[in-house]
Every structure is written in structure tokens, then in C-alpha cells.
DNA sequence: GGGTTCGCTTGATAATTGTCAAGCAATCAG
DNA sequence: CTGATTGCTTGACAATTATCAAGCGAACCC
């Protein structure tokens, strides 16, 4: 495992507080792998053999049932995924596939659990990570249950625009995946975009322009307790 | 704080591994309170002053936005709620109210964080608890995004019936709350119950009878990765 | 007992969302 | 360049879900 990757990992809050010996032990079993786009990394139901860390590229977490499929989240560098399954030694609840060319670190889950048992700082860091993941999913549930698809899209656009600060920006994912993430069909997303035109949203391909942020905000009614990703 | 309650708390997996001194310290700031039904305990957005433990009764966790409201979960004895907010010192994402007469222990969040910082066993227990909560919410999201309301109801009934093993059982909550929990209106729940009649479901007040479990299972297609509360 | 409240149900109707089929424009391989 | 593929859009239609209004029956209060 090259030193540069080691440093990237150590810069993660999840690993930064660990004792050096424990971090070394964890790295001993780790390996890095490069994947092409659209490669399945894990399937829901599998045993959690590895904790994954995305160093470069991006990964789609998705779920299937009865022939249907839905996108749950996108993982971008540098962060981990399926931490909960790894520490619980329980089957993955989600599948994962690369969206683009990606570099991923694989840490044997057994090592993670062993070191988690003897390194208090690591355990505390995991608590922080899990609590944040938990709160994200709760927010997502609120979004789904309390809002219509038009409202979900409006708030999504405001979040994206808010994080860049610009009134114009590029969608970070394919529209079909955005539709799935927001819990609707691609056809419906198309219509939803047009439904937001009266509130000052213009769509040109994957470029979004919000001409009247106040108008859109009045409609979307974003909430710190649903849309604030920071906490 | 009476000794009997202390013991109930100590029997919780969350506290059972702690060092005695730390447990004592945590208990020093704790107090028990009895609440009548329908009392608001916390409101989403509030600062997380206390970690709550339900000793008796039951508590509804719910969320509101823009005049709408939805039920997220029911907490039954003996378990905690809003652990994530407490350890993160972040605002509650959900409100809570008693459903019936309830006895609740309040542990100052600050004490929880302090002791979490110095007791590794406690930190590890919190990891287990959070990971389980996280996985529950993910399952709930899958249920919402991948299934129709009829399918959600069918699987809910199978889960309830499965946990008792009997073909006949009482609903554990008001139908209107069940509707909200399942993400539909009360009117729709009524119709959904009738929609399950062809699959061998009979409803009499709050008593449910599943006359043909195989038939219902064929329709509901329950999945370990959505409906299994144990893991 | 008689009236009131409350939760549930039902019917009629409307809004939302999904499905199917077709078409269009950009991309890509040969 | 040309044909094929792919993702997106649109229209027509169907299914699902919500809303509104009314009614029913059990529980509760006076």
C-alpha cells in the first residue's frame, strides 16, 4: 500500500485519532484497487468482508426488491461506505457500483472490528461517523414522506446551488439517477423540471439556472432539519 | 434515582459494559419522570439536552414540515431515543410525545458525551446501538421507495404476525398512526385493508386475522434485507 | 338515557405519479 | 460520414394516492 494513499486515509477523521500501532495494523491488511466505471463492488445481502473507502471517482449505493431498483446515495472522495454492516458483521443492506473510474481502498472488516475493540479513539470516531450517517438517512426519510416530488426537486436544486453559491450550476449526476434518488421516474423528473419553470428554474441539458432564488425558496421551504447536510 | 430503575438501565446493552464508576457518574445526573399520555417530550430543532430512556409506556417519534406531519417510529421499553443527537450535540431531527402513560429516564447529554469520551466500552456499545438504528432507517427507506402502500401494509402485517407467531393478533397502534407510519392517509389504509382481503386478511376493529399466510406472503414478498428487524 | 366526541369507513372526485410508446438529439463505433 | 446506441423528453393514458364530505358506531360525559 503506497505511502500517499496511507496519508489520504490518515487524513480522514475516522482514522486520524487512532494509535499509530493500530492504524499500522489496519493498513497491513488493506489494499487499493482501481475499477472501471459501472462495476459492481458489492451486492446487498453479501457478508461484509471489507470496509470500503473511496479515494477517487464516485460510487452509487442502490437497493433492489422485486425487480425494482432505487438509488440511495452517492459516495464521493474521501469517504467510507457500509461502515455499519462492517462493525455489526451483518449483511450489506445496499449494493454498490462505481459510477466512473474509481480508486477504492478495501479494509478487511474483521480487522476493523478487532481494532475497534481495542482502540477507544477509533470507536469514538466511528460513533461520530455513524451518527452522521444516521441523521442523513432520517433527513432523507423526512424528505420522502413530507414532500411531493416537485418539492423534493426544488429543495435538491437549492441545496446544490447553495453549496456552490452560484445561481447556475451543473447537475452532478445523470438525470435518471437523480430521479431514482429523489424517488420518482425519469419521465416525472422531466415534468418536474418544467413544473419549476414558474419559480425561476431554467434547464439546459445538465445545466441548471435559478433566475429567482427567492421565488424558488418560497415554494421549496427548505428546512435546516431536512436539507442541512452539515449537521 | 431508585435502585430498581438503576438496575433496569444497567440491564440495557448500551450501559452494561461500562466501568462502574462511569455508570455511577452517569446516574448521578439522571432523573426519572412519569408522564401522562399525549405529552410532548421534545420538539425537532431543540438542543439535545437529554438522552431519553423509556422504562414503561410508549413514545411516538414524529416529524413535521410545512403543516404536514408523519410518524417515524414507536419507542417501547426498554430502549433509548435520540442517541445520535445527544452524542453529536446536534439539534433533534424528530419530535417525541408519549402515547400512553409513560415512565422515562432523562440523562443529561453533556454527561453522556463526557463519559463516552473516557469509557471505551460505552463508546463501543453506542456504536452497536447507532449501527442498528442506522440499519433500521435504511430498511425503512427501502420499504418506502421500493414498495406500494399495499405492499408496505402486507409486509407490516406479516412482520407483526411473525413476531407473535399467531395467525391472529391485535394492532399495536391506532390505525391513523399506522397509516402515517406507513406513509399513507387513514382513508387509504382503510382501502388497503380491504385490498388485502383477496390475500386472506380479515380485519375486525383492531384485530387482524391472516387466514392464508402463504397467499399473503406470495403477494408481500418479504425480504430479510427490508423486513428483518433483528439485524 | 341522550347527546357529543372521536376514530374509522365509504363514496365521489381530484391530484399525483407511473407506464407505455414514440421521437429527438447527442454520442460513439466502424 | 453513417448507422446505432443512449439518455432525455413528450404525449396519451392508467394506476395510485390524496382530498373532501358524509355517515357510522363505539366510547364518553352530563
Amino acid at each position: 500500500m503506497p505511502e500517499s494513499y496511507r496519508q489520504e486515509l490518515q487524513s480522514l477523521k475516522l482514522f486520524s485519532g487512532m494509535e499509530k500501532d493500530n492504524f499500522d495494523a489496519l493498513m497491513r491488511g488493506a489494499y487499493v484497487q482501481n475499477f472501471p466505471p459501472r462495476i459492481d463492488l458489492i451486492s446487498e445481502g453479501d457478508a461484509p468482508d471489507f470496509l470500503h473507502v473511496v479515494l477517487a471517482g464516485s460510487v452509487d449505493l442502490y437497493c433492489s426488491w422485486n425487480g425494482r431498483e432505487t438509488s440511495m446515495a452517492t459516495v464521493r472522495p474521501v469517504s467510507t461506505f457500509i461502515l455499519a454492516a462492517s462493525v455489526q458483521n451483518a449483511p450489506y443492506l445496499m449494493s454498490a457500483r462505481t459510477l466512473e473510474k474509481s480508486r477504492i481502498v478495501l479494509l478487511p472488516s474483521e480487522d476493523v472490528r478487532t481494532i475497534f475493540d481495542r482502540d477507544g479513539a477509533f470507536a469514538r470516531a466511528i460513533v461520530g461517523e455513524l451518527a452522521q450517517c444516521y441523521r442523513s438517512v432520517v433527513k432523507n426519510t423526512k424528505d420522502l414522506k413530507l414532500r411531493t416530488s416537485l418539492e423534493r426537486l426544488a429543495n435538491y436544486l437549492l441545496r446544490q446551488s447553495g453549496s456552490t453559491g452560484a445561481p447556475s450550476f451543473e447537475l452532478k449526476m445523470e438525470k435518471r439517477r437523480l430521479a431514482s434518488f429523489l424517488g420518482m421516474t425519469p419521465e416525472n423528473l422531466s415534468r418536474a423540471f418544467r413544473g419549476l419553470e414558474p419559480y425561476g428554474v431554467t434547464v439546459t441539458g445538465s445545466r441548471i439556472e435559478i433566475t429567482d432564488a427567492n421565488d424558488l425558496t418560497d415554494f421549496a421551504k427548505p428546512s435546516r432539519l431536512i436539507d442541512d447536510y452539515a449537521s
Side-chain angles (χ1 to χ4, degrees), chain A residues 148-176:
Chain A
T148 66
S149 59
L150 201 60
E151 290 165 342
R152 290 200 294 278
L153 176 60
N155 279 292
Y156 176 84
L157 295 179
L158 285 174
R159 289 195 303 260
Q160 293 302 307
S161 138
S163 68
T164 66
S168 167
F169 60 93
E170 294 279 329
L171 288 177
K172 282 201 260 174
M173 49 178 139
E174 272 183 319
K175 286 183 182 171
R176 60 164 48 195

Side-chain angles (χ1 to χ4, degrees), chain A residues 95-169:
Chain A
S95 303
R97 72 180 145 228
T98 56
L99 288 166
E100 41 187 322
K101 202 160 159 301
S102 301
R103 179 158 46 248
I104 296 182
V105 179
L106 302 164
L107 301 169
S109 292
E110 214 181 305
D111 297 354
V112 172
R113 287 191 298 275
T114 304
I115 291 163
F116 155 76
D117 276 336
R118 66 172 184 240
D119 191 315
F122 187 41
R124 281 186 283 275
I126 290 179
V127 166
E129 189 95 356
L130 283 179
Q132 202 177 327
C133 289
Y134 171 74
R135 288 170 63 88
S136 282
V137 191
V138 169
K139 286 174 189 173
N140 192 52
T141 303
K142 292 170 70 171
D143 195 39
L144 281 169
K145 289 183 80 176
L146 291 168
R147 289 172 172 163
T148 66
S149 59
L150 201 60
E151 290 165 342
R152 290 200 294 278
L153 176 60
N155 279 292
Y156 176 84
L157 295 179
L158 285 174
R159 289 195 303 260
Q160 293 302 307
S161 138
S163 68
T164 66
S168 167
F169 60 93

